[in-house]
């Protein structure tokens, strides 16, 4: 037992050890010591942690932290006290009285004022503490609201204090804008009150201060003061005014929804004057912050202006300042800084997104403005060496202009069209020039991230298609020029074919070839994006003709590339270049397919006219043949291990293309008829496809799944024809041959070794899983079932017996999970067929084999998932889909004494008890599988058992409560748990109601003393314990014997109390997305345990501050208003409506939760 008191010096030593420990043991000891003397009283942190006897409440712990702050100058102790106060305030703010809240806030503010020289990290932590106290007490404490007035004591002192005061305001604005999961409605209400009362005065305070600093030439204001003021203004402008921003990235497309009260700021010229002056007169980082504020100003909502004239004045002023920055020497120097340049590009994009091109075109400065931006953009495209992230903003600006050109005047539209041609040319040239810099290692390669690359190219394509013929001619001209260089280099390389790889000429040719190949890759990407940007019903025949010319050039390049690849010396090849070129070609196929291979391709005659003249391609199905033939080589391996990573990526992208092609109804029909596809279906196990060769498991998930995705695609193609029986049997023949060899090996025949068998089965079961995924109807499934089930299921069971912990065992289980999943009702057997029963019996054999192995495994710390829990997860998943598949009548097993179902459930119970509840809720995949099977089990199978072990029942109920209470739990797991609880409670309650009706019919009257159901005015109560007592006394002679689950639940009512508390506290005090699901089981829990509900509600009301008790009592009285003792849909909906109203009322108040006294209930462990 630790000492009950401690001096400040000792606390300082332990705080220093906590933040600067010599080893992990010392840190753990310091943490334990400090938690003992300064406990947080938080169940989430250390639920069973001891604390000093003289510290019995959060308030006393806060007083100790306050004493530490008052009497210590040790930075570690000050930081600990601040952090601990923050935890206490966040978790227990409602337990502080208003006077204590006000006193704590005043103390923190005073401490910050008296210690302006504290370390920056301490000041930041204390500013956050001050802001949290202000936020939590905003609604109840009016003294917290005049923030600007509170800071005057700082503003009247020296610059150091002024900076701190400004940072405090910034911290409050930032904290108010943060929406946590804890009591989100109240947090939003506080944020709205702060927005309406203090945000504008804070912004105006910052505006006045920065204006004073700029105007007072005698004041030697430091950049630190300017920076802090601009940070405050930025925090105000980026405030979520309407609570609609889902994430930080959304501000790029949305406008600032400032309330009308801010109109005075934006209609006056002071704001813009100050910020533009600050940008011109300051150096980074102050100038960068000024431009960030201007970026926000550029996206203020248009409707905030009182008149169109005032909005036009604002737009005109922004345009004038942009012109000055772009055309003056001072502005050009400013834009030479990377930060200034980037934020200026961002400001242009936001300005153009907010204000309509129509009103911008009406300004007399428009042509000068758009011309200046055009020249700036052309230069900006070449900034890839030092500001590559700015280019997307410039493209976004011009993409928006291009898409809005129809709303511009004729003169402006013509001018914009002319400019877009120059923009297209500049971007194209800049991409070609950056290739050399990428090869020299000066910049990152944009081709590495295809997702970002495609997003950028889509914007460029919108710009290029404004005046597509002219822009297209430029692109084609550059492509022909580069392609000509490529052919000349190929000829030179061919003449040097006999030279050694290290010869000087060979090295030069290789570098030149690589540069040109990368340039051609860029151009294929660019032309493909232009083709993909076609608007189906707006594109003209001339534009379609241009698409056809580009497509012809790309096909010509593909043809030459394939010819060159067949004769190119190995030393001239590059793995990265191969990946990028082939990826660009795949992108071209994808874009062409989206534009010209669709359900209605009759209006694309011009494209196919061009393709027919040059390549003999007259229709979409012929182009699909080209796609398959030219890209199929991507699945083959070169055998060069140095190329493996690039080839794996190419396999992934090629299979993704094939999957997209197979997803379309018409395209998959076309693909099915192609000779190349038919050949692939007959030879799908080609040894050239190295990704089909089982090897060491890849760390790249996408690579590991490529084999499965490949067969998912082939299965979809195979079954695209109605009559595919003959093709199916030919398709499975290679698998059949291998599986027969394995079967002989298991019998001791044949020449296959153990490792060969393992690798063969590993590959086949991955293939079969992918193949089964695309099976969507009864006919297809029965075909596959007939081939596999009887002949090869024994092999699967035997393999699991031999390799249960191996990757092979996991692959078989995943296949079986897919095999027994009855999606789209594909598993439907004839009424006279025993196949459904047989399927579950084999599932039982597999699960029994797996379960016995899992129960006998020993695991090492840190490897529980791979060694044990992954197998348990798969057991739960297979069991879940089997029990819910509806293709087997499970009553048959019990009727005929078959132990198949009993074995599955018995091992299920054992696995539950062998897995700690903490681990179940900690591993997301295991948690999802467990609560899914529990929900299925509770639907029917649980009630059909003659009894369940009490330990299993206790475990099950405890886990259901734990997952609901866990704040970090997946919402789907929580929903499944609530569904299971609801089903159990519904069964118990309905059993009582049905028996009451039955007994009432027998006696033709209601016994008022039976204690079953009492009607008291509008409120009904069940005295179920009285019924159980009566049932036992009668010996069951006059009443039906109670179901075992009914007796268990009603004999262990603490379980009902535990589940009720877990769910009710989440509903009342947390903001979860699955509120409806959480409310459903509450009705049954209340009706089955009405006495506890009344007791808890009374204690909850009495635990609140007196000011809230009356309102809370009124709210809880409405929970059961109009609710009857039944579980009809109408009654449930009424209860859910009442709970929603109660939850809404709770959100308006600051309530203290009342937890359960102990979780050590009988049967819960």
């Amino acid at each position: 037992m630790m000492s009950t008191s401690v001096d400040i010096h000792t606390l300082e030593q332990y705080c220093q050890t906590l933040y600067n420990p010599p080893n992990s043991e010392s840190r753990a000891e310091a943490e334990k010591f400090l938690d003992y003397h300064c406990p947080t009283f938080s169940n989430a942190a250390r639920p069973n942690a001891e604390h000093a006897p003289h510290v019995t409440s959060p308030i006393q712990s806060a007083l100790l932290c306050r004493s530490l702050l008052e009497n210590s100058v040790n930075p570690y102790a000050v930081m600990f006290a601040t952090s601990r106060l923050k935890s206490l305030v966040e978790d227990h703010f409602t337990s502080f009285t208003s006077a204590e809240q006000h006193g704590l806030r005043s103390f923190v503010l005073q401490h910050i004022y008296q210690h302006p020289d504290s370390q920056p990290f301490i000041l930041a932590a204390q500013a956050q503490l001050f802001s949290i106290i202000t936020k939590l007490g905003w609604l109840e404490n009016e003294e917290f609201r005049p923030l600007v007035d509170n800071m005057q004591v700082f503003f009247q002192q020296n610059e150091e204090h002024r900076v701190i005061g400004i940072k405090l305001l910034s911290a409050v604005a930032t904290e108010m804008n943060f929406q946590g999961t804890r009591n989100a409605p109240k947090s939003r209400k506080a944020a709205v009150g702060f927005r309406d009362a203090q945000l504008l005065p804070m912004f105006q305070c910052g505006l006045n201060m920065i204006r004073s600093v700029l105007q007072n030439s005698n004041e030697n204001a430091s950049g630190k003061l300017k920076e802090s003021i601009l940070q405050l203004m930025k925090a105000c402008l980026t405030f979520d005014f309407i609570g609609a921003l889902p994430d930080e990235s959304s501000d790029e497309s949305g406008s600032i929804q400032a309330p009308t009260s801010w109109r005075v700021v934006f209609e006056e010229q002071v704001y813009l004057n100050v910020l533009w002056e600050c940008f011109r007169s300051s150096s980074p980082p102050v100038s960068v912050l000024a431009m960030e504020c201007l970026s926000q100003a550029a996206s203020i909502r248009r409707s905030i202006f009182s008149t169109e004239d005032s909005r036009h004045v604002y737009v005109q002023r922004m345009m004038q300042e942009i012109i000055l920055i772009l055309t003056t020497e001072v502005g050009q120097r400013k834009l030479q800084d990377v930060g200034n340049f980037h934020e200026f590009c961002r400001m242009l994009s936001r300005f153009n997104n907010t204000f309509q091109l129509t009103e911008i075109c009406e300004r007399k400065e428009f042509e000068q403005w758009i011309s200046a931006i055009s020249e700036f953009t052309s230069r900006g495209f070449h900034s890839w060496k030092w500001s590559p992230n700015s280019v997307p903003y410039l493209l976004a600006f011009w993409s928006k202009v291009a898409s809005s050109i129809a709303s511009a005047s004729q003169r402006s539209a013509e001018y914009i069209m002319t400019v877009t041609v120059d923009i297209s040319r500049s971007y194209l040239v800049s991409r070609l020039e950056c290739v050399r810099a990428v090869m020299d290692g000066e910049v990152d390669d944009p081709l590495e991230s295809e997702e970002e690359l495609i997003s950028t190219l889509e914007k460029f394509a919108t710009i290029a298609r404004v005046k597509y013929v002219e822009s297209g001619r430029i692109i084609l001209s550059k492509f022909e020029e580069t392609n000509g260089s490529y052919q000349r280099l190929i000829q030179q390389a061919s003449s040097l074919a006999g030279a050694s790889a290290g010869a000087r000429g060979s090295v030069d040719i290789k570098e030149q070839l690589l540069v040109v190949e990368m340039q051609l890759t860029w151009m294929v990407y660019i032309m493909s994006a232009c083709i993909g940007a076609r608007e189906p019903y707006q594109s003209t025949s001339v534009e379609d003709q241009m698409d056809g010319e580009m497509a012809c050039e790309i096909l010509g390049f593909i043809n030459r590339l394939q010819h060159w690849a067949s004769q190119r010396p190995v030393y001239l090849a590059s793995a990265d270049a191969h990946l990028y070129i082939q990826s660009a070609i795949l992108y071209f196929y994808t874009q062409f397919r989206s534009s010209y291979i669709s359900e209605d391709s009759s209006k694309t005659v011009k494209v196919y006219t061009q393709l027919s003249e040059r390549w003999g391609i007259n229709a979409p199905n012929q182009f699909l043949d080209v796609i398959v033939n030219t890209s199929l080589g991507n699945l083959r391996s070169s055998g060069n291990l140095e190329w493996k990573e690039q080839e794996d990526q190419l396999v992934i992208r090629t299979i993704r293309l094939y999957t997209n092609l197979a997803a379309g109804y018409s395209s998959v029909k076309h693909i099915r008829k192609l000779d190349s596809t038919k050949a692939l279906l007959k030879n799908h196990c080609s040894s050239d496809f190295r990704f089909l060769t089982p090897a060491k498991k890849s760390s790249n998930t996408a690579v590991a799944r490529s084999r499965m995705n490949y067969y998912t695609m082939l299965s979809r193609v195979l079954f695209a024809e109605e009559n595919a029986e003959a093709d199916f049997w030919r398709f499975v023949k290679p698998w059949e041959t291998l599986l027969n060899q394995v079967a002989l090996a298991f019998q001791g025949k044949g020449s296959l070794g153990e490792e060969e068998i393992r690798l063969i089965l590993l590959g086949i079961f991955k293939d079969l899983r992918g193949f089964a995924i695309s099976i969507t109807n009864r006919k297809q499934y029965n075909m596959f079932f007939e081939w596999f089930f009887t002949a090869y299921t024994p092999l699967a069971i035997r393999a699991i017996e031999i390799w249960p912990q191996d990757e092979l065992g996991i692959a078989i289980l995943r296949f079986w999970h897919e095999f027994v999943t009855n999606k789209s009702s594909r598993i439907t057997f004839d009424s006279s067929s025993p196949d459904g029963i047989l399927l579950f019996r084999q599932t039982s054999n597999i699960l029994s084999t797996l379960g016995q192995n899992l129960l006998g495994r020993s695991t090492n710390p840190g490897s529980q998932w791979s060694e044990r829990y992954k197998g348990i997860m798969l057991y739960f998943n297979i069991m879940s889909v089997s029990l819910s598949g509806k293709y087997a009548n499970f009553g048959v097993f019990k009727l005929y004494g078959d132990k198949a179902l009993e074995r599955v459930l018995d091992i299920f119970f054992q696995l539950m008890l062998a897995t700690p509840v903490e681990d179940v809720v900690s591993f997301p995949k295991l948690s999802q599988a467990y609560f899914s099977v529990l929900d299925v089990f509770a639907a029917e199978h649980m009630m059909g058992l003659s009894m369940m072990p009490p330990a299993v029942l206790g475990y099950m109920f405890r886990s259901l409560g734990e997952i609901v209470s866990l704040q970090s739990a997946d919402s789907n797991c929580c929903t499944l748990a609530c569904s299971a609880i609801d089903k159990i409670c519904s069964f118990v309650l309905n059993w009582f109601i049905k028996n009451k009706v039955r007994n009432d019919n027998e006696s033709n009257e209601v016994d008022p003393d039976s204690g079953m159901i009492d009607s008291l005015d509008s409120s009904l109560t069940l005295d179920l314990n009285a019924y159980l007592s009566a049932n036992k006394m009668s010996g069951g002679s006059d009443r039906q014997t109670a179901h075992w689950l009914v007796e268990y639940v009603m004999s262990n009512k603490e379980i009902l109390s535990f589940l009720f508390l877990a769910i009710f506290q989440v509903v009342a005090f947390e903001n979860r997305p699955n509120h409806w699901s959480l409310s459903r089981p509450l009705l049954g829990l209340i009706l089955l345990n009405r006495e506890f509900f009344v007791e808890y509600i009374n204690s909850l009301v009495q635990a609140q501050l007196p000011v809230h008790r009356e309102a809370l009592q009124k709210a809880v009285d409405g929970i059961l208003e109009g609710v009857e003792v039944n579980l009809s849909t109408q009654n449930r909906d009424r209860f859910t409506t009442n709970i929603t109203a109660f939850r809404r009322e709770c959100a308006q108040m600051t309530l203290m939760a009342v937890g359960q006294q102990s979780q050590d209930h009988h049967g819960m462990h």
Side-chain angles (χ1 to χ4, degrees), residues 1067-1083:
V1067 171
F1069 301 105
E1070 296 182 26
N1071 185 34
R1072 299 277 186 93
N1074 55 338
H1075 165 69
W1076 186 89
S1077 300
L1078 286 163
S1079 67
R1080 303 307 275 184
L1082 271 181
L1083 178 59

Side-chain angles (χ1 to χ4, degrees), residues 427-528:
Y427 181 77
L428 175 62
V429 172
S430 71
R431 296 307 94 188
L432 299 182
E433 290 178 352
C434 81
V435 169
R436 178 68 70 177
V438 168
M439 291 185 59
D440 293 340
E442 298 178 14
V443 293
D444 294 333
D445 193 348
L447 296 174
E448 286 183 355
S449 176
E450 191 179 41
E451 184 177 351
E452 294 180 8
L453 173 66
I454 290 173
S455 176
T456 301
L457 292 175
E458 287 173 351
K459 297 183 180 71
F460 168 78
T462 304
I463 301 168
R465 288 190 75 99
V466 170
K467 209 167 185 179
Y468 192 33
V469 175
E470 288 80 353
S471 298
R473 289 297 171 203
I474 293 172
I475 296 171
L476 285 173
S477 175
K478 200 68 180 175
F479 183 82
E480 292 171 359
E481 177 186 339
T482 309
N483 200 23
S485 300
Y486 186 50
Q487 294 183 57
R488 288 192 293 273
L489 287 171
I490 288 176
Q491 293 174 358
Q492 295 179 33
S494 300
S495 64
L496 295 173
S500 63
R504 180 62 184 172
S506 299
V507 173
D508 291 342
I509 286 293
K510 181 176 180 178
E511 291 180 357
Q512 295 176 45
L513 271 172
L514 191 57
V515 170
V516 175
E517 285 178 348
M518 291 298 94
Q519 289 177 338
L520 288 170
T521 299
W522 268 106
M523 300 196 72
V524 171
Y525 266 120
I526 287 173
M527 289 191 290
S528 302

Side-chain angles (χ1 to χ4, degrees), residues 199 203 230-241 256-258 262 265-266 271 275 292-297 300 350:
L199 193 61
F203 180 79
L230 290 171
Q231 287 282 13
L232 171 61
M233 295 174 68
K234 178 187 172 185
C236 294
L237 289 170
T238 55
F239 192 84
D240 187 3
F241 290 96
I256 298 176
Q257 300 297 316
W262 285 62
V265 173
F266 296 100
Y271 168 58
L275 287 180
E292 286 188 58
C293 292
L294 284 167
S295 180
Q296 300 299 321
I300 187 66
R350 290 176 65 91

Side-chain angles (χ1 to χ4, degrees), residues 96 114-115 166 229 413 498 525-526 541 637 683 687 745 836 870 1060 1141:
F96 292 73
Q114 293 174 348
H115 300 83
I166 294 167
I229 296 172
Y525 266 120
I526 287 173
S541 59
S637 170
N683 192 32
S687 59
K870 181 186 286 187
F1060 168 79

Side-chain angles (χ1 to χ4, degrees), residues 765 768-769 772 781 784-785 788-790 792-797 800 809-822 826-827 838-847 874-875 877-879 881-882 887:
F765 278 104
L768 293 178
R769 180 190 176 198
Y781 185 86
F784 183 79
F785 182 88
F788 175 82
F789 182 72
T790 303
Y792 303 118
T793 297
L795 295 184
I797 298 174
I800 293 177
I810 300 298
I812 294 174
L813 293 171
R814 284 176 170 161
F815 157 73
W816 198 265
H817 174 256
E818 179 62 37
F819 182 54
V820 297
T821 299
N822 193 13
R826 63 181 183 177
I827 309 180
L838 296 175
L839 179 59
F840 183 78
R841 288 182 66 184
Q842 292 291 33
T843 301
S844 174
N845 292 334
I846 287 178
L847 291 180
L874 290 169
Y875 186 102
N877 282 334
I878 294 172
M879 178 180 168
V881 296
S882 297
Y887 48 79

